[in-house]
Amino acid sequence: MLRITVCVSGGGTNLQAIIDRIQDGTLRDVEIAEVISNNRGVRALDRAAAASVPGVCVSPSDYPDREAFNDALLAELQRSGCDLVVLAGFLVAIPPQVVRAFPGRIINIHPALIPSFCGKGYYGLKVHERALERGVKITGATVHFVDEDLDSGPILLQKAVAIRDDDTPEILQRRVMEEAEWELLPAAIGLIAQGRVRIEGRRTRILPA
Ligand code: GAR
């Protein structure tokens, strides 16, 4: 059984996709230990409660400085006893001490085809605004392992999504979620649960079933 702790900041639709795939039996041998949100009162925490998954808030506003928040986040992740940390729309830079405590054991979903539209300032709707401004014809989503830099760790899964002429950032965000994110994130967790992922430098290898 792979125990995962899912970190969220807002709507939690990616969290919901994981919950749904566990409940319908597609995602086997996976248990959500806990959901951690950096924001209070978000929909993601309601989704956790509805699925009887423990949810906690670790908010920067409850700590005197960033270092104290970082330490609290690490302590909560360790307390949850998880094997894998899943960043599912967690809009917080992961501090180095967390990366070092969970080497090769943190994955993130990003709403673009890395290395496009990623790094500092590229999160949530902004990613889709920039993709439309730049006029790319294809975007998508990426699941990658987290290292000490932003959106730079080994890529595990990617899926492309076509951009349409009449897309708005909101319409595109929704389609990237529906066509890519909600499929990729549970699939990535499933591959890790089955022991089928090897990290080789900056690359990953997916082993046959
Ligand atoms: C998702 O689109 C996710 O890819 C993105 O935030 C959204 C969260 O939605 N994450 C990032 O931009 C990380 N850089 P959700 O709360 O409904 O899952």
Side-chain angles (χ1 to χ4, degrees), residues 10-14 88-89 91 108-111 122-124 177 181:
T13 65
N14 279 287
L91 307 185
N108 177 50
I109 180 109
H110 183 76
Y122 285 90
Y123 58 88
M177 286 175 163
E181 294 186 44

Side-chain angles (χ1 to χ4, degrees), residues 109-113 139-143 157-161 176 180-181 184:
I109 180 109
H110 183 76
L113 293 174
T139 185
T142 302
V143 177
L157 293 175
Q158 292 189 299
K159 188 175 179 194
V161 174
V176 169
E181 294 186 44
L184 289 190

Side-chain angles (χ1 to χ4, degrees), residues 156-176:
L156 177 49
L157 293 175
Q158 292 189 299
K159 188 175 179 194
V161 174
I163 288 181
R164 298 179 189 154
D165 289 344
D166 54 356
D167 274 340
T168 63
E170 291 78 9
I171 290 171
L172 182 58
Q173 179 182 50
R174 182 77 189 179
R175 199 163 66 254
V176 169

Side-chain angles (χ1 to χ4, degrees), residues 2 4-6 15 18-19 22 30-35 53-54:
L2 182 81
I4 65 172
T5 288
V6 184
L15 166 66
I18 298 166
I19 291 169
I22 292 174
V30 174
E31 176 183 60
I32 304 179
E34 182 170 274
V35 170
V53 169

